[in-house]
Amino acid sequence: MFAVAGTWRMDNSMREEQAGLLPKLVAGVSQNPGFVRGFWADDVDEPDVSVTFIVFETLEQARGFLAAVTANAPAQAEVGIERAGLRVVEIQADA
């Protein structure tokens, strides 16, 4: 399995709007080919940072998702979300 791991800077003045959009985002992401599981989390020590971890069956599916997320930067910026880091990782173990 492979995952797309992301770190995001969040405009805290837009948190209510971001929270309102999250269910639609989660539903859309889960429709991607090869989707296994996804996690959306807020950093407890840095309230303006969020972390995502979206798991796919294959490397190609993960890379395709990364490309789509990267291309969606203008829409992310409109709701106060800025990509701080995004990478494809190979999962070595899970429990």
Side-chain angles (χ1 to χ4, degrees):
M1 287 187 292
F2 296 84
V4 178
T7 306
W8 310 90
R9 291 264 172 223
M10 310 298 280
D11 180 340
N12 284 325
S13 70
M14 301 182 81
R15 281 296 194 160
E16 189 172 317
E17 183 176 359
Q18 295 159 359
L21 294 171
L22 187 57
K24 183 178 176 183
L25 173 68
V26 171
V29 168
S30 69
Q31 298 303 310
N32 278 272
F35 174 83
V36 174
R37 191 150 187 204
F39 299 90
W40 289 259
D42 291 333
D43 189 307
V44 297
D45 294 320
E46 293 185 57
D48 66 332
V49 174
S50 289
V51 177
T52 56
F53 198 79
I54 314 301
V55 181
F56 293 91
E57 294 171 352
T58 70
L59 176 58
E60 293 75 23
Q61 293 161 339
R63 285 189 171 150
F65 181 72
L66 182 140
V69 170
T70 300
N72 197 37
Q76 297 157 9
E78 287 179 12
V79 293
I81 300 171
E82 177 188 352
R83 183 179 64 245
L86 195 62
R87 67 186 64 215
V88 174
V89 297
E90 184 172 7
I91 297 172
Q92 299 299 314
D94 72 334

